[in-house]
Amino acid sequence: MLTAHRSQHGVTLIEILVSFTLVALLMVIAVPAYNTWLQNTQIRNAAEAVVNGMQIARAEAVRRNTLAQLVLTGGSSWTVSLPLTGEQIQERPAAEGSAGAVVAILPAAADRISFNGMGWVAPNNDASPSITQLDFSNPSGGACKHVADGPMRCLRIAISSGGAFRMCDPAVAAGDPRAC
């Protein structure tokens, strides 16, 4: 007489342990890379947001043929306004995708930049110094390094007296189009 074999249902304890071990191993590998990606994304978001604010200020100055200014109000928060009339054009809080980013302003006493009707950098109405350079980093990411040297890529916005501004990577060697 033949006996029928019962089919096995479910999984064994060994299979569960192997699955958990694989998931834990993947998490150990993925979490540091995710944190680095998140820090770099916050830096890029902050720098791009300030560039966008500067473009808005310059475009409004040209469109209205009057003085327009961008005021950095903490971190990567900014406000674009017309200083002669007090009209506020647009604002952006730092919490929009770049809460972890830190901005270093040169000169240190500057917090604004004004554009005239030609789109050039103009003296600020309050006689304060104009922003000439902005350096973006993330304090939880360590020192700024080139991608080959470390994980965190800091960014810089360099502003010329003619009103041109450019986002670049200060750690990239000269000759590379991303270099400052």
Side-chain angles (χ1 to χ4, degrees):
M1 170 171 204
L2 294 172
T3 60
H5 293 288
R6 289 191 301 189
S7 62
Q8 179 183 10
H9 297 287
V11 293
T12 66
L13 182 61
I14 299 288
E15 291 169 334
I16 290 173
L17 290 175
V18 167
S19 298
F20 280 144
T21 303
L22 289 174
V23 168
L25 183 62
L26 289 174
M27 292 296 288
V28 166
I29 293 169
V31 169
Y34 176 73
N35 286 336
T36 300
W37 174 81
L38 188 61
Q39 291 166 357
N40 287 333
T41 300
Q42 289 177 352
I43 292 168
R44 168 124 350 239
N45 286 345
E48 287 178 351
V50 171
V51 165
N52 290 339
M54 293 171 78
Q55 289 171 337
I56 291 168
R58 187 169 59 183
E60 284 297 317
V62 171
R63 186 173 75 83
R64 298 177 186 217
N65 195 25
T66 188
L67 196 65
Q69 71 179 1
L70 173 119
V71 179
L72 291 175
T73 56
S76 61
S77 299
W78 52 258
T79 302
V80 173
S81 62
L82 303 176
L84 301 176
T85 64
E87 180 184 351
Q88 183 173 322
I89 307 296
Q90 191 171 342
E91 67 181 338
R92 180 203 183 262
E96 290 182 4
S98 57
V102 173
V103 182
I105 303 171
L106 288 178
D111 70 343
R112 65 193 66 216
I113 184 168
S114 298
F115 297 95
N116 64 18
M118 298 293 288
W120 300 337
V121 174
N124 295 324
N125 266 8
D126 62 358
S128 64
S130 288
I131 298 170
T132 58
Q133 180 176 300
L134 300 164
D135 289 320
F136 296 84
S137 63
N138 190 324
S140 61
C144 297
K145 297 178 181 178
H146 188 281
V147 176
D149 300 330
M152 193 170 76
R153 293 188 58 205
C154 296
L155 294 172
R156 174 176 292 159
I157 297 174
I159 306 160
S160 72
S161 59
F165 42 88
R166 180 174 180 267
M167 185 168 50
C168 57
D169 187 343
V172 174
D176 189 317
R178 299 171 296 158
C180 292

